Amino acid sequence: MRRDTPYHDRIEAGAVLAKSLLEYRGRDTLVLGIPRGGVVVAAEIARVLEAELDVVVARKLGAPGQPELGIGAVTADGGRFLNEEMLQALHISTPYLDAITTVEMAEARHRATWLRSLRPAAPITGRTVIVVDDGLATGATMLAAARALRQQEPARLVVAVPVGTRDACDALRSDVDEVVCPLQPEPFGAVGLYYDHFEQVEDEQVRELLEATRSATAGQ
């Protein structure tokens, strides 16, 4: 039967991506999912690669009076990406930017701690790190994550996504060592258009995936 979308769900998308990442199989590889949907994709990649799984939590920076309008993104570890064109167009002040950055970084740290069930973050330095999301639209969240991770000196930093815009993928190449994105359609639309099933993922599901993958790798 003909399928109208490239991926059945996030698990299948992870399986497809894993085939392009087999050279990184092994325990010294760390797979980081961006919550929430990215963790489902990342968990399948970690399973195939027999790699450790963790999260990298990023938060959108919303414009004044328009919280849904992203002007950038930050991570729990201090990474920040700013959309300079939007900052200038909206005349965003430095005090506002500093204040919202502080608030959203604190929220990212709190959420990361909760998702990990209070366990410490996985070590980054000297490892191959694969950062995963379920799709890239603007790429702001991934850019913030990549910049934060680069500061921790991984041996190799790879971004892996099932689908993304060409512009977002290209923008990442100067911040990471490799971008794996098998599907870069134009025009793009929304990430969910490329999945048969794109249900919302809850925080509790993310915690369960992290715990299950942790238990599986511990038993290897």
Side-chain angles (χ1 to χ4, degrees):
M1 185 173 66
R2 180 181 178 275
R3 285 177 51 174
D4 294 324
T5 57
Y7 304 113
H8 176 67
D9 56 17
R10 293 180 177 93
I11 296 174
E12 182 184 74
V16 171
L17 280 176
K19 293 177 182 178
S20 299
L21 298 165
L22 291 175
E23 64 184 289
Y24 301 120
R25 178 181 280 159
R27 290 194 183 186
D28 200 43
T29 291
L30 173 64
V31 181
L32 296 177
I34 294 180
R36 302 180 181 108
V39 179
V40 180
V41 182
E44 181 63 16
I45 293 173
R47 184 190 68 79
V48 174
L49 300 187
E50 300 173 357
E52 186 176 3
L53 176 69
D54 200 359
V55 293
V56 55
V57 178
R59 298 278 298 181
K60 178 171 62 178
L61 300 177
Q66 304 178 72
E68 294 305 313
L69 180 60
I71 57 175
V74 295
T75 69
D77 299 320
R80 185 168 78 166
F81 166 74
L82 300 175
N83 186 325
E84 298 294 346
E85 291 184 1
M86 191 166 288
L87 294 181
Q88 293 179 17
L90 297 176
H91 306 290
I92 304 296
S93 70
T94 298
Y96 173 84
L97 198 56
D98 290 344
I100 194 172
T101 294
T102 299
V103 169
E104 294 300 344
M105 277 188 180
E107 179 58 30
R109 285 193 294 270
H110 172 76
R111 189 160 177 241
T113 299
W114 187 85
L115 289 173
R116 293 189 181 106
S117 302
L118 303 181
R119 290 181 174 85
I124 302 292
T125 305
R127 304 178 72 181
T128 294
V129 177
I130 303 172
V131 197
V132 181
D133 207 350
D134 53 17
L136 285 182
T138 67
T141 299
M142 185 64 80
L143 272 166
R147 290 174 181 178
L149 293 166
R150 181 62 82 189
Q151 293 173 9
Q152 299 180 59
E153 300 182 348
R156 186 168 180 81
L157 185 57
V158 180
V159 164
V161 292
V163 59
T165 65
R166 294 176 189 171
D167 286 347
C169 290
D170 289 344
L172 281 159
R173 297 188 197 281
S174 60
D175 288 274
V176 303
D177 298 300
E178 182 181 1
V179 176
V180 177
C181 181
L183 191 62
Q184 299 178 40
E186 296 291 345
F188 184 78
V191 172
L193 296 175
Y194 303 95
Y195 292 84
D196 287 332
H197 298 280
F198 197 69
E199 296 84 358
Q200 180 171 316
V201 178
E202 301 299 333
D203 281 347
E204 194 57 44
Q205 292 175 258
V206 173
R207 293 183 76 174
E208 290 171 0
L209 281 169
L210 290 173
E211 186 60 40
T213 306
R214 186 180 293 114
S215 299
T217 53
Q220 290 174 0

